[in-house]
């Protein structure tokens, strides 16, 4: 009778891991059949009424057997959300927010982006413009960074509904340089066509 106890314990250990083995095999077949632009990413393990330490792996079995249940298929082509950047977004319109977040994500060296403020012209008060402050703006590196941000803005002109940029005394439009920009030697001024004020629940993607 005593010899039958280990056999029963082994039966329950193996039968208890059967679902986990099947899950792992299904997950492996999905991963093997995945198209070119899909990757497998780990997620947090789900809660369970039993402890992994109570299940021992059998011969030739990966331990723990239920590990495959923590994996999911991720589409690499899915839109990537843009987190809130360094700009204060209160009062900005949606296209201006998109521009500010995109610049924060693309240029982590930018630590300050101005937004809504009193001004005689309507762009800042209406949330249509941001000021991208350039570190060491008179240095060669600072000037190069400002130039790169202007190029980035025009590369994304359609997405940002871009109206203009001003940098180092030059006023730029989507058609090219267009006259004097009246200063702006320490920041890149970017104006969008706005797109309206956020209603709540907007999602900004790269």
């Amino acid at each position: 009778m005593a010899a039958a106890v280990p056999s029963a314990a082994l039966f329950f250990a193996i039968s208890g891991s059967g679902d986990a083995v099947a899950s792992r095999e299904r997950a492996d077949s999905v991963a093997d059949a995945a198209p070119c632009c899909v990757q497998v990413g780990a997620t947090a393990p789900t809660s369970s009424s039993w402890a992994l330490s109570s299940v021992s792996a059998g011969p030739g079995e990966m331990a723990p057997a239920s590990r495959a249940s923590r994996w999911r298929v991720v589409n690499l082509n899915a839109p990537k959300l843009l987190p809130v950047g360094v700009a204060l977004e209160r009062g900005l319109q949606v296209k201006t927010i998109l521009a500010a977040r995109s610049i924060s994500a693309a240029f982590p060296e930018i630590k300050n982006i101005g937004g809504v403020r009193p001004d005689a012209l309507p762009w800042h008060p209406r949330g249509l413009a941001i000021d991208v402050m350039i570190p060491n703006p008179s240095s060669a590196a600072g000037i190069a960074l400002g130039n790169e941000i202007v190029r980035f803005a025009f590369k994304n002109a359609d997405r940002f509904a871009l109206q203009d940029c001003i940098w180092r005394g030059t006023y730029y439009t989507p058609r090219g340089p267009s006259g004097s920009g009246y200063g702006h030697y320490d920041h890149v001024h970017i104006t969008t066509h706005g797109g309206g004020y956020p209603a709540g629940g907007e999602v900004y993607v790269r």
Side-chain angles (χ1 to χ4, degrees), residues 1 31 38 44 59 62 70-71 80 84 87 95 100 117 131 138 141 155-156 158 162 164 184 191 197:
M1 186 66 179
V38 172
M62 293 178 62
R70 303 184 320 178
W71 297 88
K80 296 181 180 179
V84 176
K95 292 297 186 178
R117 60 174 171 79
D131 289 331
S138 61
K155 182 179 178 180
N156 293 278
D158 290 340
L162 189 69
D164 57 60
H184 298 80
T191 307
Y197 295 102

Side-chain angles (χ1 to χ4, degrees), residues 103 110 112-113 130-134 149 186-190:
I103 290 169
I110 297 298
N112 185 11
I113 298 179
I130 53 175
D131 289 331
V132 182
M133 307 307 297
I134 305 298
I149 289 171
D186 63 348
H187 68 275
V188 177
H189 172 99
I190 296 175

Side-chain angles (χ1 to χ4, degrees), residues 104-138:
S104 285
F107 301 94
E109 59 268 54
I110 297 298
K111 305 300 182 185
N112 185 11
I113 298 179
V116 174
R117 60 174 171 79
D119 194 78
L121 298 173
W123 319 123
H124 281 289
R126 293 183 183 175
L128 300 170
I130 53 175
D131 289 331
V132 182
M133 307 307 297
I134 305 298
N136 302 312
S138 61

Side-chain angles (χ1 to χ4, degrees), residues 143-166:
I143 293 170
L145 177 59
N147 292 342
E148 190 175 355
I149 289 171
V150 171
R151 285 193 294 270
F152 177 82
F154 282 104
K155 182 179 178 180
N156 293 278
D158 290 340
R159 289 181 61 232
F160 298 165
L162 189 69
Q163 176 179 300
D164 57 60
C165 293
I166 309 174

